[in-house]
Amino acid sequence: QVQLVESGGGLVQPGGSLRLSCAASGRALSPNVMGWFRQVPGKQRELVATISRTGTTNYADSVKGRFTISRENAKNTVYLQMNSLKPEDTAVYFCRAHYELRDVYWGQGTQVTVSS
């Protein structure tokens, strides 16, 4: 009953910036944890960043210092500000909403391509 819609992906040059957004709908209660994952074809999906309802954040080592995750609980929306983008950041980025226990929902993904 939960739907996640991502937006903000696109093509950007190395060193550039993008901001991804993900809005969750279908449930009044805000998710306990929201996050971003990414996946390259043929590879396993990997964690990029997560944020709790109270604002606690975690980042993958590869993006720490360059990416910032944030959320607006009233809007059930999570954001990922991506700065100093590198070609290795190219992937499909997926939004995840975690409510309780194993009650997890995923968005359809948005493509991020970093290339000159």
Side-chain angles (χ1 to χ4, degrees):
Q1 76 280 19
V2 174
Q3 298 83 44
L4 302 178
V5 180
E6 303 108 326
S7 63
L11 174 65
V12 65
Q13 293 185 341
S17 298
L18 286 173
R19 189 178 81 147
L20 306 182
S21 300
C22 173
S25 63
R27 188 176 296 186
L29 185 65
S30 62
N32 287 355
V33 179
M34 301 190 75
W36 291 94
F37 294 70
R38 65 188 183 187
Q39 187 170 24
V40 176
K43 302 293 183 180
Q44 296 295 315
R45 190 172 298 182
E46 65 176 2
L47 181 148
V48 177
T50 63
I51 183 168
S52 73
R53 187 187 294 114
T54 57
T56 301
T57 59
N58 288 286
Y59 296 92
D61 289 341
S62 60
V63 307
K64 196 169 187 177
R66 299 187 297 119
F67 292 8
T68 302
I69 189 170
S70 60
R71 65 187 287 174
E72 297 183 45
N73 292 335
K75 297 181 179 180
N76 288 332
T77 300
V78 63
Y79 306 93
L80 185 68
Q81 179 66 47
M82 304 184 293
N83 298 327
S84 302
L85 283 162
K86 305 175 180 180
E88 50 263 46
D89 295 318
T90 297
V92 177
Y93 284 70
F94 295 89
C95 177
R96 186 188 73 172
H98 181 193
Y99 287 86
E100 292 289 347
L101 300 174
R102 291 184 291 180
D103 191 11
V104 176
Y105 300 88
W106 294 88
Q108 291 296 309
T110 184
Q111 177 71 46
V112 172
T113 302
V114 184
S115 176
S116 59

